[in-house]
Amino acid sequence: MFAEERQLLIAALVATQGRVTVTDLATRFAITAETVRRDLDTLEAARQLRRVHGGAVAIDRLSLSEPSLDERQTQHLDEKSRIADAAMRMIPASRTGSILLDAGSTTELLADRLASFTPAVSGDQLLVITNAVPIAGKLSSNETIQLHILGGRVRGLTSAIVGAGTVAQLGLLRPDIAFIGTNGISATFGLSTPDSVEAAVKAAIVTSARRVVVLADSSKLDQETLVCFAALAAIDTLITDAPPSADLAAALAAADVDVVIA
């Protein structure tokens, strides 16, 4: 096999799997580790992947890689819809209840469902707190919902409201349930997101809520981005669309996290 052919296959593996190791590639192609490293160097120079310790990762798996909200709204839509349906079943059914919706594409799908929400008993009240401009817009016309929008600076990439003032407001709140998104969830690194300012808001959300429910499709599982905002032990429930890997499942069980497969 020519080097160019092998490199095309390696690039395809990285794109499909998200990560490859030098050892696995050497075994797969019956070549030396040194040859693998040269191939990876060539592919990195061509912006086909990014070298990391022991192997390589896809460009979109880098710690600072973050797609826009518009991009994420078209990715894994069926999986996110199932997750949102499962989350909807967790909305408090008491006479008065409060939830917090974090910014994100999956939480926005939950907001879509809440846009037509009516209480089971007339007169019951649901307070929805959010730091997401699109979510606030979708819920503003539902007269059965009390809508509370957190103040701060709007981060253009995600339409999330962030900043020190946002964090301070969250410190004065204690919602019944927070539905929160994440860019990665790892057995060792916990929950993470690429932006430090947004991570600070997410950390404050986790601290504020009586119950924390993470909405994360399976592409986020076993992923780590730049900033950890919560340990696994800080969350109560993970709603996802596929069973976690053995290592992550064990870590979630050890942290007493309830896993719901939608």
Side-chain angles (χ1 to χ4, degrees), residues 1-10 29 31 35 39:
M1 180 183 294
F2 293 112
E4 291 81 3
E5 295 176 293
R6 186 175 62 246
Q7 289 162 12
L8 286 173
L9 292 173
I10 292 173
F29 295 106
I31 55 178
T35 301
D39 285 345

Side-chain angles (χ1 to χ4, degrees), residues 2 21 29 32 35 38 64 68 70 90 120 132 136 153 199 218 244:
F2 293 112
T21 67
F29 295 106
T32 66
T35 301
R38 286 196 296 271
L64 280 171
S68 69
D70 287 343
M90 302 179 74
R153 172 179 66 85
S218 53

Side-chain angles (χ1 to χ4, degrees), residues 239-262:
I239 305 179
T240 187
D241 59 275
S245 65
D247 287 348
L248 182 55
L252 289 164
D256 199 25
V257 177
D258 182 30
V259 178
V260 176
I261 309 299

Side-chain angles (χ1 to χ4, degrees), residues 12 22 46 64 121 198:
V22 171
L64 280 171
V121 178
E198 197 152 342

